[in-house]
Amino acid sequence: MSRPLPPAFYARATVAVAKDLLGHRLVSTVGGRRCAVRLVETEAYVGPHDPASHAFRWHRSRRNEAMYGPPGSLYVYFTYGMHWCANIVTEREGYPAAVLLRAGEPVEGVELMRRRRGGVRDREIASGPAKLAQALGITGRLDGHLVLGPPLWVEVGEPLDHRRRGTSARIGVRRGERQRRRYFEKGSPHVSRPRG
DNA sequence: CTTGAGATGTTT
DNA sequence: AACATCTCAAGA
């Protein structure tokens, strides 16, 4: 009997997705009007062995059920009593892993997004996971939906230059955070921390 | 610019 | 009691 493949084996795909999403456009037609951000910050929650993941130790509940869905599903959760945050599921059905969409640069329908966000300036529109969700109209109604078409999908954008790529520890994570699984565009004013 | 407290409800 | 957060007011 041989050793099982280590958790790191399964982490690779999710990490790759988190990195590769930078530069692509997240498009929303929620509410009938189109708007979009260019993704500039993501985080990887790589599976049941990730202590920061909502699916740590295969935890499964009504809240995180969507993490067990097929790749390309949305996992939208409610946190801190008032905010929605959106993830894209990355691994095979039944293996819970996802990428948190943390920040985006407004590129289309900016005034619509600004209105949803209470009239803030451009750099405040989607510079954080809950801000991004609010700007695009993402709520729990989209939990479990596929991001392959309306009302929410990802369009191909310019790949991010390697010089502009930054990595750090994840934000707001305390439980055994050793790896650097936050990926962002260096120097962007639209990330959730100044310049990353 | 920075820091810190309060909001607000679900999950553990 | 913590939480994959945000806003606002106050200070430097």
Side-chain angles (χ1 to χ4, degrees), chain A residues 76-136:
Chain A
V76 183
Y77 68 91
F78 189 63
T79 192
Y80 289 100
M82 56 190 111
H83 303 301
W84 296 103
C85 295
N87 297 254
I88 296 178
V89 173
T90 52
E91 304 272 357
R92 68 178 188 268
E93 192 162 3
Y95 187 87
V99 170
L100 175 65
L101 307 174
R102 281 199 60 91
E105 172 183 345
V107 291
E108 196 180 331
V110 178
E111 292 315 314
L112 169 61
M113 292 191 286
R114 191 196 313 285
R115 212 173 310 132
R116 285 180 174 142
R117 289 277 302 119
V120 297
R121 292 176 301 180
D122 282 14
R123 60 176 52 128
E124 307 267 329
I125 287 179
S127 53
K131 298 177 189 176
L132 180 150
Q134 187 180 25
L136 296 176

Side-chain angles (χ1 to χ4, degrees), chain A residues 22-39:
Chain A
L22 299 180
H24 292 302
R25 289 179 167 210
L26 182 63
V27 185
S28 165
T29 53
V30 172
R33 289 197 38 202
R34 182 177 158 122
C35 59
V37 299
R38 176 177 162 270
L39 292 169

Side-chain angles (χ1 to χ4, degrees), chain A residues 5 32 38-40 42-43 46 54-55 60 80 82 85 90 103 109 111 114 116 118 122 144 148 154 175-176 178 196:
Chain A
L5 287 167
R38 176 177 162 270
L39 292 169
V40 297
T42 60
E43 280 176 358
V46 300
H54 289 168
R60 189 168 186 166
Y80 289 100
M82 56 190 111
C85 295
T90 52
E111 292 315 314
R114 191 196 313 285
R116 285 180 174 142
D122 282 14
L148 302 178
V154 179
R175 298 178 358 195
R178 328 191 299 224

